Amino acid sequence: MSGEALLKAVRAGRTVEAAGLLDGMTDGERRACLPALKELRKELRSAPWNAASRVAHPALHAAGAACHTGAAGAATWIAGVDMRWSQASPGVLLHVLGDRETDWLADLTHRLAARPATSRVPFALLSGLVALSGCEVPTTDAYVRGWLEHIGGSWHGGGTVVQRLRKEPHVSVMVTALFESLEVTSQIAWLFGDGPGSWYNALAELSEEGALDRKVVLDACVARLLRGGAPADQRVFLRLLSSLAPTRDEERERSADWTVLACQAAPSVAWYAQSVLASLALDGELPSRQLAEMSSGVLFRTEKKLVRAQLVLLGKVLKRDPSTADVLLPAVAEAFGHEDTDMQERALKLVERHVGALPDSFDVRARLEDLSADLSPGLRLRAQRALGIEAPGSASTIREEALPPVPERARLAPAPESVVELAEEVSAILASGGGVAAFERALDGLVRHAHRDRDALVEALGPVVARCWWKDRDPSYPVVDRSFRESAQGLEVVLAALFEGVGMETLHAAVQQGPTSGNCHHSALSRALDARLWEAGHRLRTDPMPFLLATPTWDTGLLEPDELVERLTEYRRLDARPGTADFAQALLRVRRDDRATAEAAAARARALGSPEGYRLAQWLTAEGPLLPTSRRRTSGARVLLELGELEEIQGLFPKEFRLLGRPLTVFKDHWYCRHWGVTDQRYWPAVVPGRRELVAARLLRDISTAAVKDSRMDAAMLPLLAEADGTAGEALHLCLAYGLGARHPEDRLAAVDALLVLAARGQLDAGRLGSDIGELVRRGALKKSRLAESIRTAAATGAYATVWSVLLGLLPALLADLAADGAGGGAVRGLGELLAIAADCAERSGARGDLAHLAGTAERHGSSKVVTQARRLRTALTREAVA
């Protein structure tokens, strides 16, 4: 009867009554109640959130915890996900568990504390169990996080943080655990607070009072900084370290730690460590060899502020004690390899000033000579004179142009012969995508095997599609058909058609009418691709094709004419009906640049006597591939392109393909676009191989967004466009210009890769690219600082002549703006970096000649970076070459 009463009280949500009934039960009676409680829990899981039965949750939570006689089961019940948002209060749980043995409670405590912090086990429950059991306080992430929130909150008892910490019996253990916890750091920044009552001052005050071991806290703080982590977390521990105000003795004891931090830590932490070591070094308390070791690491960093401060420190130490020159000058020379020539020159000046203090040591001078090879060519000559080395002449400074290998077309392998191999390839494409070759082979394989043995194909693909989003969907919800009606979603629609996961009405409507979504700049490419996929899915269910006509010969999407004629011949022999979209795609892919081959294939196609043969013959003998006329238009800060009509992709082409030849406008057809983040973009160049300008023009607005609106990964297509076939014209160069000025490094790297590939293929119009960049900078679409990062990266690969040729087209416009602006203003910002890269490229490539407006900039007064680098560039361009 007690079990029935308990279940009735729980169902009614009477938690107090249920707790009273549990008090009088034995362990056996509690275990007997457990099956009914589990059934009730299962019932409540499927109940709507607004159901009246939900009132039972808190009582059920408490009763289930009490009826588990094993600590593991009780912990699992208490931390259950389904009860997390409607559970018994910690007070009730402590009451119903309070009669357990202390060892059992200690086991439960540590099991609950070991749960992830996301389990949200209340800290009041955990701390209450610690008090009941008398066990050691847990130091898990969940417990530490709860303790941190408990102390940091003012709702539970008032007072300041330091006052609450003084009352904590385990404060020393918990503070140590706080430093060691990795999971808690994400919330430390906002919980530590600010002002006199913050955690920083509280921990510092307790350390001064002796409530906390000051050495332990200092060591823990330094250890966390050495461990690294997110910059926000590092700032917390750095601020705490500053609050502790280490004494000179404490700083000296940890000089090795400061050295590591100065060389490897986040900039703010490195700056602090550098300042500590600088103070020690200037007071003569840091050995010169340790200073040299620290300098080698700091001077290797990219942060100019740190490098500059380190060079200043080394200069002061060398001036105070010239005898350290043999130890410190090789460390100074580590800055010879810095990417910024200003840093190189600062380091060289130090060497020039103190090289006379070097002893007659061959090893030190040899080391300096070796490091001087990393200097820019102009500075290297100065270093050779300072070290007394006979200069071999400026001609030796010219570097051979280094460009990546030219990408070569790869012939597609035949479709997989077995359904097992095909299933593996389809699984890989669904999981992580693939290039044109993998996609086309898999698509052709699906069509071929569905024609040969559909049942075997379905059996092999069963495990592959088991986790597809459309598999086993409730037929009462038309989400699958609606989704596939809007987009084919790559191979998904073909697989769904094969497994009858999409309706025939949907496939028929898609083939006949196209997608339900509106037009945008990408629609011409996406609809052509989708039309072929919808057709393949529809034909699988109605009239399977023996194979696809449009499967390319090469991974760029090109199809050899002889191969297409052979496929049409086989279709004629099998009396098979070609797919309309498939044949249209084959026409766009067939290669026509070799006129003799094309005309011979046309004669064979005409001899077939089929409509497709006559159409192919007509296509092969026509002029092509053609590109439409283009016109520049401005939209805000952007420069975009409009395309005229391309008449040859009209006429007998299906309507979904005729869009490829329709005019492209800037101010229309882009209000709605469903293609954000679509992975099928990688296949678009293969829709119109040999005409990548059509693709580039339709992607231009997206790629410009990476620079103008700071979007991410919109320039990822640039390397694929650079490797594609066809003219590299105005659209592609504008895309490249936007990519080089993109906000995010991954987009800029993609643009640099594309730049180098085009240069390697001899398709880069450097003057056009430089002019486009200059125009976009003037309009405010590109920032010079971002361009400098991209151009420096390209130059660092060894493509000095290529980068110089781009800068040759860019710099005159920027220098003209500087001359017109008088004092400089916005025209100066970032220009010094570009001039420095230009000077380096000119020195290393042996460029000579004149650059418009450079002389006026070089003759300006002052020693700003713009003026200094302009003078350096002028010197490089006017230096006589040594025979």
Side-chain angles (χ1 to χ4, degrees):
M1 292 298 294
S2 59
E4 294 178 2
L6 175 64
L7 187 61
K8 183 177 180 181
V10 169
R11 277 190 175 278
R14 297 193 292 268
T15 307
V16 175
E17 180 182 339
L21 291 170
L22 288 165
D23 286 343
M25 288 185 179
T26 64
D27 283 353
E29 290 173 331
R30 292 185 179 186
R31 280 195 298 269
C33 294
L34 197 55
L37 294 174
K38 289 182 177 180
E39 283 298 318
L40 177 58
R41 180 181 182 184
K42 184 177 180 181
E43 176 187 328
L44 293 180
R45 280 176 181 162
S46 59
W49 277 104
N50 58 355
S53 57
R54 287 287 178 180
V55 72
H57 256 290
L60 177 62
H61 190 232
C67 289
H68 276 88
T69 54
T76 301
W77 182 280
I78 291 171
V81 175
D82 54 328
M83 297 193 185
R84 188 172 300 166
W85 308 112
S86 182
Q87 54 184 256
S89 67
V92 171
L93 289 173
L94 291 172
H95 173 79
V96 299
L97 297 172
D99 58 352
R100 299 289 186 178
E101 295 179 356
T102 55
D103 289 345
W104 190 95
L105 289 171
D107 187 13
L108 175 64
T109 302
H110 286 280
R111 287 179 182 274
L112 288 174
R115 294 260 169 178
T118 52
S119 296
R120 305 300 297 173
V121 178
F123 177 75
L125 173 61
L126 292 174
S127 59
L129 288 172
V130 169
L132 282 175
S133 64
C135 65
E136 291 185 3
V137 62
T139 56
T140 62
D141 286 334
Y143 195 89
V144 172
R145 177 174 179 168
W147 179 82
L148 182 64
E149 293 176 346
H150 171 75
I151 297 297
S154 58
W155 59 86
H156 65 280
T160 62
V161 171
V162 69
Q163 289 170 342
R164 295 173 218 152
L165 287 173
R166 288 194 183 107
K167 298 175 183 178
E168 283 294 309
H170 309 292
V171 62
S172 181
V173 175
M174 293 309 299
V175 168
T176 302
L178 178 63
F179 285 111
E180 295 174 354
S181 173
L182 289 175
E183 194 170 311
V184 176
T185 55
S186 61
Q187 60 175 351
I188 277 183
W190 67 271
L191 279 177
F192 262 43
D194 206 350
S198 67
W199 275 82
Y200 305 105
N201 292 337
L203 293 177
E205 191 173 335
L206 291 178
S207 298
E208 289 297 327
E209 294 173 0
L212 294 174
D213 188 324
R214 179 178 172 82
K215 184 179 184 305
V216 170
V217 175
L218 270 173
D219 287 342
C221 202
V222 173
R224 276 313 299 259
L225 293 175
L226 288 168
R227 185 186 295 176
D233 299 335
Q234 293 286 284
R235 285 192 291 270
V236 169
F237 293 107
L238 177 61
R239 182 172 173 184
L240 178 57
L241 182 64
S242 300
S243 299
L244 293 170
T247 64
R248 178 48 62 91
D249 290 338
E250 290 170 336
E251 290 177 341
R252 192 185 309 109
E253 291 171 4
R254 295 167 178 80
S255 60
D257 296 330
W258 308 132
T259 299
V260 175
L261 291 173
C263 298
Q264 301 176 9
S268 57
V269 179
W271 179 258
Y272 176 87
Q274 184 188 45
S275 64
V276 172
L277 290 172
S279 179
L280 292 172
L282 293 175
D283 290 345
E285 299 183 60
L286 188 71
S288 58
R289 293 202 174 274
Q290 188 172 348
L291 176 59
E293 177 188 352
M294 169 245 192
S295 299
S296 296
V298 173
L299 295 176
F300 190 73
R301 297 183 65 118
T302 58
E303 297 88 359
K304 298 174 188 177
K305 179 181 177 181
L306 289 169
V307 174
R308 191 180 299 112
Q310 193 66 25
L311 291 173
V312 170
L313 170 62
L314 288 167
K316 290 179 179 179
V317 174
L318 284 166
K319 183 178 181 180
R320 187 197 62 199
D321 187 2
S323 65
T324 60
D326 60 331
V327 176
L328 297 184
L329 282 186
V332 171
E334 294 287 346
F336 287 174
H338 199 277
E339 62 181 19
D340 191 321
T341 55
D342 283 349
M343 300 299 108
Q344 293 183 13
E345 187 168 14
R346 284 173 180 267
L348 179 57
K349 286 180 179 179
L350 270 180
V351 172
E352 289 172 332
R353 191 177 302 133
H354 298 283
V355 69
L358 284 176
D360 294 331
S361 171
F362 174 78
D363 292 341
V364 176
R365 290 182 177 270
R367 175 61 178 160
L368 293 176
E369 181 180 350
D370 290 341
L371 291 172
S372 68
D374 295 328
L375 288 165
S376 65
L379 295 177
R380 193 183 314 150
L381 297 175
R382 279 179 51 185
Q384 290 169 344
R385 287 193 294 269
L387 295 171
I389 304 168
E390 182 178 352
S394 62
S396 65
T397 66
I398 298 175
R399 303 284 184 88
E400 184 178 350
E401 185 78 349
L403 292 171
V406 176
E408 296 183 359
R409 296 175 185 163
R411 183 178 284 272
L412 260 68
E417 285 295 330
S418 70
V419 290
V420 175
E421 183 184 355
L422 174 61
E424 292 176 353
E425 295 196 11
V426 170
S427 177
I429 291 174
L430 293 179
S432 57
V436 170
F439 177 79
E440 291 289 345
R441 288 183 69 246
L443 179 58
D444 188 40
L446 289 172
V447 171
R448 287 175 182 270
H449 285 286
H451 183 266
R452 294 175 190 169
D453 190 344
R454 176 172 176 166
D455 293 338
L457 179 61
V458 168
E459 181 180 357
L461 288 172
V464 175
V465 304
R467 285 185 282 183
C468 286
W469 67 270
W470 46 265
K471 191 71 171 67
D472 299 327
R473 281 283 180 136
D474 189 341
S476 63
Y477 292 96
V479 62
V480 175
D481 287 276
R482 186 168 60 247
S483 179
F484 281 129
R485 184 71 174 79
E486 182 176 332
S487 167
Q489 301 176 47
L491 294 181
E492 296 267 7
V493 74
V494 182
L495 295 170
L498 183 66
F499 282 82
E500 300 185 2
V502 58
M504 275 299 300
E505 297 83 359
T506 300
L507 291 172
H508 181 75
V511 170
Q512 294 297 320
Q513 303 169 19
T516 56
S517 58
N519 287 337
C520 67
H521 289 144
H522 317 99
S523 295
L525 297 163
S526 66
R527 289 190 176 188
L529 177 63
D530 284 353
R532 186 162 167 250
L533 293 166
W534 278 320
E535 181 181 76
H538 185 259
R539 292 286 296 270
L540 284 181
R541 300 269 286 275
T542 57
D543 180 19
M545 296 179 285
F547 52 83
L548 292 175
L549 295 172
T551 302
T553 307
W554 306 98
D555 60 353
T556 59
L558 285 175
L559 172 59
E560 290 297 329
D562 289 338
E563 194 166 337
L564 179 54
V565 173
E566 290 173 4
R567 292 175 186 174
L568 285 175
T569 303
E570 182 65 12
Y571 258 70
R572 186 66 182 267
R573 187 187 71 80
L574 295 172
D575 195 24
R577 179 170 60 91
T580 304
D582 187 37
F583 181 63
Q585 179 64 88
L587 290 179
L588 289 176
R589 284 179 171 172
V590 71
R591 191 165 65 89
R592 296 186 287 170
D593 55 351
D594 186 340
R595 300 310 303 166
T597 301
E599 289 173 4
R604 292 176 54 205
R606 192 177 294 107
L608 292 175
S610 64
E612 289 78 20
Y614 286 121
R615 180 77 178 92
L616 175 59
Q618 180 187 19
W619 182 259
L620 287 173
T621 54
E623 184 182 358
L626 301 176
L627 291 175
T629 58
S630 62
R631 174 190 177 192
R632 287 198 176 211
R633 296 295 297 272
T634 59
S635 176
R638 309 186 208 208
V639 175
L640 302 174
L641 283 184
E642 292 187 335
L643 299 182
E645 187 174 27
L646 192 58
E647 292 185 2
E648 71 166 357
I649 310 182
Q650 299 295 319
L652 298 178
F653 275 89
K655 64 177 182 178
E656 299 301 337
F657 286 80
R658 290 199 291 268
L659 288 174
L660 291 165
R662 295 284 171 79
L664 173 69
T665 62
V666 171
F667 301 108
K668 295 181 181 179
D669 299 336
H670 66 270
W671 304 113
Y672 169 77
C673 179
R674 64 171 180 81
H675 300 98
W676 309 120
V678 173
T679 57
D680 289 352
Q681 286 185 0
R682 71 188 72 178
Y683 310 132
W684 289 352
V687 172
V688 281
R691 308 189 216 220
R692 59 179 162 188
E693 281 289 285
L694 291 180
V695 182
R698 285 169 168 80
L699 291 175
L700 181 56
R701 179 179 289 275
D702 297 338
I703 296 175
S704 70
T705 304
V708 178
K709 298 294 185 181
D710 295 349
S711 64
R712 187 187 296 270
M713 295 305 295
D714 274 322
M717 280 288 294
L718 283 173
L720 294 179
L721 290 175
E723 294 173 6
D725 295 308
T727 302
E730 191 172 16
L732 182 55
H733 282 78
L734 270 174
C735 286
L736 187 55
Y738 282 117
L740 291 171
R743 163 67 176 82
H744 297 284
E746 55 267 38
D747 286 307
R748 294 199 298 269
L749 284 175
V752 170
D753 288 344
L755 169 69
L756 297 176
V757 168
L758 287 175
R761 298 181 70 182
Q763 297 173 340
L764 178 69
D765 187 336
R768 165 181 273 175
L769 178 60
S771 176
D772 286 342
I773 294 174
E775 182 179 357
L776 293 174
V777 169
R778 283 177 157 181
R779 296 187 61 84
L782 302 183
K783 295 181 179 179
K784 293 193 283 290
S785 58
R786 297 175 184 174
L787 285 170
E789 290 292 330
S790 300
I791 294 174
R792 182 185 294 110
T793 301
T797 66
Y800 298 111
T802 297
V803 172
W804 166 249
S805 62
V806 174
L807 290 170
L808 189 60
L810 166 64
L811 287 175
L814 302 185
L815 293 173
D817 288 345
L818 180 64
D821 199 17
V828 173
R829 191 176 300 111
L831 181 56
E833 294 290 338
L834 291 172
L835 286 170
I837 300 167
D840 196 46
C841 290
E843 291 171 346
R844 295 177 188 274
S845 66
R848 300 292 184 269
D850 188 26
L851 188 66
H853 306 289
L854 177 63
T857 306
E859 290 168 2
R860 285 182 169 226
H861 297 293
S863 58
S864 67
K865 185 163 189 173
V866 169
V867 174
T868 301
Q869 295 302 328
R871 292 168 182 166
R872 179 185 164 211
L873 177 57
R874 182 177 62 175
T875 300
L877 293 176
T878 56
R879 182 182 297 127
E880 293 185 4
V882 177

